[in-house]
Amino acid sequence: MSNQPYEGYGEGYDPYAQQQQPQQAQAQAWPGHQQQAYDDAQADQQYTQQWQGQTWDTQVQQTRPAASDLAYFPPQNYQAEPQSYDPYAQAQPPRPDVPEAQPPAPSAGDGYGPPSLAGNARITDAQRARLEGRSPIIEPGMQPAGLTAVLALLLSVTAQVGSYALVVPLVILQAVTAAGWFRLNGMWPARQGIALAFAGALVADVALLAAGRENGPAAILGTLGVWVLLSLVMQLRSHADPDTRITGLMATVASAALAIVAAGHLAADPDAVTVGAAAVAVAILARALPLPTVASVVVSLLAAAGAGIAVGGMTGMGAKGALLGAGAGVCALIGHRVASYDYPSRFVHFTAGVALPLAVAAPAVYVLGRALG
């Protein structure tokens, strides 16, 4: 073997001496030089996984594991991962002292979610009243009854003045009827439907003034038929779901029909309008008195008949005014009852509660006035 020095290393370089140094260091590391052996082992493991733990034997892990062996071990992490809290992950059992309330199923087609007392924003006042054990029927009270009486007296007085004077309180009645019916059905704001119903009422008034009282039924029914078609076309152009379209169509048709039928006061005989409107005013005021329901209804009908006799004697109808007053009073009580349905709001009381008694009484005033006159 040649003793010439290696190129680049100079004289005295022995490669076999460098290979023997780790073995000699390992032999001298036990037992006196443990720290040096530990440092050499850490230097050998600097390109592999570095483990931190309280019990680690450096003598066992001196050899580097193969890459194929490491593939079977997932990366280790000795720090506990924080667990995210999900309050809905596990259902909490109900407390034994608080029974779990089961809400009743919603009625079909009402458009609301299941009624609940725990903050459901979609629950209606009527559903809340039923859940709380209260009646969903609340009568308008004395203030709306007073407004109804004022409007009825305006109709009664202006009917004796002339048709054009009667139109002024009639238009107010028709506007309040159109707005109150939509609010009574929970549709607010419904500007297009209210405007359409009120426009139909104005067209009926114009047709009655142009055609005369003798052609009143044709003018009213013709306008009502046209407005039903217009309401249908308006709902067909809507982009709402089918259930909403049907509900909107029924509300629009009913509102337009009530507002147009109220024009029957303009088509009826002036004396019949005077007697009927006075009977409605007295009947609604008597119905608002704090009496039991049955007694209040009986008192209202008797008051309406008495008002019919009194006003009929002043207009020339005589005793026939009692029948006209009783018929108008019955229709007024029906409209009053409808305005009290479904736990309405104060706005409903001052719209539908004011207008419906007079609007519903218009056909009876026209028919009975023609029959008794």
Side-chain angles (χ1 to χ4, degrees):
M1 180 177 299
S2 174
N3 294 328
Q4 297 179 358
Y6 285 85
E7 296 180 359
Y9 294 95
E11 295 182 359
Y13 175 76
D14 189 0
Y16 297 98
Q18 298 291 334
Q19 296 178 0
Q20 295 176 1
Q21 288 179 359
Q23 298 178 358
Q24 294 176 0
Q26 182 177 3
Q28 295 177 0
W30 183 265
H33 303 281
Q34 296 180 358
Q35 183 64 33
Q36 182 178 359
Y38 179 79
D39 295 339
D40 294 339
Q42 291 296 323
D44 185 63
Q45 295 293 331
Q46 64 180 348
Y47 296 104
T48 60
Q49 294 180 346
Q50 297 181 5
W51 302 84
Q52 296 179 2
Q54 296 180 356
T55 57
W56 179 254
D57 191 0
T58 58
Q59 300 295 330
V60 179
Q61 298 294 332
Q62 291 295 328
T63 60
R64 181 181 299 177
S68 60
D69 295 335
L70 292 176
Y72 293 96
F73 295 94
Q76 302 294 329
N77 187 4
Y78 290 97
Q79 298 180 356
E81 297 181 358
Q83 297 181 357
S84 60
Y85 174 71
D86 187 5
Y88 300 99
Q90 296 180 356
Q92 298 294 335
R95 293 183 299 175
D97 55 342
V98 179
E100 184 177 1
Q102 297 293 335
S107 59
D110 58 0
Y112 295 93
S116 172
L117 295 176
N120 188 354
R122 300 291 295 173
I123 186 174
T124 63
D125 291 336
Q127 291 171 337
R128 184 181 295 107
R130 292 188 181 97
L131 289 175
E132 295 176 357
R134 295 182 285 110
S135 174
I137 306 301
I138 292 183
E139 298 176 357
M142 183 59 70
Q143 292 181 353
L147 294 177
T148 302
V150 171
L151 188 58
L153 291 178
L154 289 177
L155 290 173
S156 180
V157 172
T158 55
Q160 297 297 320
V161 176
S163 298
Y164 290 96
L166 180 61
V167 168
V168 177
L170 180 61
V171 168
I172 298 175
L173 171 64
Q174 291 168 332
V176 178
T177 301
W181 184 260
F182 275 96
R183 187 63 184 91
L184 182 63
N185 287 269
M187 299 179 181
W188 189 266
R191 300 180 182 89
Q192 294 182 356
I194 294 173
L196 183 63
F198 182 59
L202 294 180
V203 170
D205 295 342
V206 173
L208 280 170
L209 292 175
R213 285 190 174 93
E214 61 277 3
N215 296 320
I220 293 176
L221 294 178
T223 305
L224 182 59
V226 172
W227 247 251
V228 169
L229 293 179
L230 289 178
S231 301
L232 181 61
V233 171
M234 187 183 72
Q235 293 301 323
L236 289 177
R237 293 174 57 87
S238 175
H239 299 286
D241 56 278
D243 293 338
T244 304
R245 290 183 181 182
I246 293 298
T247 305
L249 176 63
M250 298 303 296
T252 305
V253 170
S255 179
L258 288 172
I260 293 173
V261 166
H265 291 291
L266 189 61
D269 184 75
D271 292 342
V273 175
T274 301
V275 173
V280 170
V282 174
I284 295 301
L285 288 175
R287 185 68 177 86
L289 296 176
L291 297 175
T293 303
V294 177
S296 178
V297 171
V298 173
V299 170
S300 299
L301 294 178
L302 292 177
I309 294 176
V311 180
M314 293 186 297
T315 58
M317 292 190 67
K320 296 179 181 179
L323 183 58
L324 177 60
V330 170
C331 295
L333 293 181
I334 293 175
H336 182 272
R337 176 61 177 77
V338 172
S340 306
Y341 178 69
D342 202 16
Y343 202 83
S345 64
R346 187 174 179 85
F347 187 82
V348 175
H349 286 162
F350 281 93
T351 53
V354 172
L356 285 183
L358 285 169
V360 175
V365 170
Y366 176 80
V367 172
L368 292 176
R370 293 291 298 268
L372 298 174

